[in-house]
Each structure stands twice: as structure tokens, then as C-alpha cells.
Amino acid sequence: MRVLLGVLLAMAAVPAAAALRPGATAPDFTTRGAVAGKVFTLNLKDQLRHGPVVLYFFPAAFTSGCSAEARAFAEKIDAFRAAGARVIGMSADPVDKLAAFSKAECAGKFPVASAGPAIVKGYDVALGRQIEGRDITSRTSYVIGRNGKIAFVHDDMNPAEHVATTLAAVRDLDTRR
């Protein structure tokens, strides 16, 4: 029953136009990110050495939906860790803004990183709108298995279900993959 629920959730969450579908290889990247306000260099391949990654893209730091989503991920971070996964938030915001966001909204519990144009294109998350004169990303969550393959996609501008659906997908993963 749990597997059937996971399949149904996956079918409902993947949009028809998503470039990265389950089974696709997640593009590797290196960028700057922050956790608890401290800036560091983040590499996806390095993160995957520790287990699956929930890579969630959000439009803009300190907006109501993005702040609510970050707080929701922070509240469930222990459940993600217990399931063997790391959570990484991604936005086209500059790293100094994300450093402040990582302290204020993520409670220092997980990193947020800056998604430059190559990352946005590689993950097909360009929203086609701007805030404060810069392009923003869609609200898309990818669960990436340890093997670097996309296991699950949730693409919905409403932040309400991202945490629950990605956590369910992580729990359904064979974390050795």
C-alpha cells in the first residue's frame, strides 16, 4: 500500500513539462551556500556521498511562501535525517541574502544555496518572472538518490505539500542507491 501511495504521489506531483523526470541523472554543480549564516562551497556530488538529497528550489528568500516552506523543512529536518537524507534549499538569490535567510527562516538546520543560471537551466526551474530585477525559480523539489538519479519530483507553487511529499519519497527510497 505504501509503495502504491508513493507511485500515486509521484504521478500527481510531476508536471507534464518537467525536464528532469524520475530516472534522469541530476546535474552536478558547485555553488556557494550558507547554513546558520556561515557561507561555504556546496557541491552536489559531495553531498550525495552521505546519502540521498532533497534539493528544493524556491522563488525568493524572505517572501511569505518561501519563508513558510523553509520553516516547515526546518521543523521536519530530524525526520529527513532519520530517513538518511540531506535537505538543500536552492534559490537564485545572492548568497549574502541566503546567509541571512539560513539563520532566520531555516533556523540553521540545513543549507540554502545560490542557483546561478546554469543550475536553473540544468534543473529546468526558471519561473519566467522577476523579483527585484532578477529571475526567480519555480517551487520544485527533487529527491535525488545516492546514485545521482532523480527519484521523485514535486512541482507546485503552493508550498503546502512539498515537505510531506518529499519526506514520503525519501522514506520509500532504498537509501543505498
Side-chain angles (χ1 to χ4, degrees):
M1 184 68 174
R2 187 172 172 189
V3 172
L4 178 59
L5 176 61
V7 170
L8 291 174
L9 285 172
M11 290 172 47
V14 177
L20 296 181
R21 314 231 345 116
T25 299
D28 190 25
F29 61 84
T30 300
T31 190
R32 290 178 28 162
V35 65
K38 296 188 180 5
V39 176
F40 69 100
T41 299
L42 185 138
N43 174 263
L44 179 63
K45 191 174 186 177
D46 290 343
Q47 296 294 313
L48 288 169
R49 287 188 182 125
H50 304 285
V53 168
V54 174
L55 191 64
Y56 87 91
F57 289 86
F58 60 94
F62 296 110
T63 57
S64 61
C66 297
S67 291
E69 183 177 33
R71 288 190 301 269
F73 270 111
E75 288 173 9
K76 291 291 187 182
I77 202 69
D78 290 339
F80 281 100
R81 288 180 181 148
R86 292 176 173 224
V87 172
I88 302 169
M90 299 288 294
S91 168
D93 287 306
V95 75
D96 59 329
K97 188 171 188 177
L98 291 172
F101 187 75
S102 73
K103 280 175 35 176
E105 303 298 349
C106 306
K109 294 186 175 187
F110 62 90
V112 288
S114 187
I119 296 171
V120 171
K121 182 177 181 182
Y123 282 88
D124 192 30
V125 292
L127 189 59
R129 289 191 281 180
Q130 291 191 338
I131 291 181
E132 299 173 359
R134 68 177 166 66
D135 294 330
I136 60 173
T137 66
S138 62
R139 189 178 314 280
T140 303
S141 299
Y142 290 101
V143 174
I144 305 168
R146 188 176 205 157
N147 62 2
K149 301 288 185 186
I150 303 294
F152 178 79
V153 182
H154 185 94
D155 187 23
D156 188 342
M157 287 304 288
N158 183 339
E161 297 301 318
H162 280 247
V163 174
T165 59
T166 56
L167 182 55
V170 167
R171 287 177 172 155
D172 283 344
L173 272 180
D174 174 353
T175 57
R176 295 164 297 175
R177 294 190 302 145

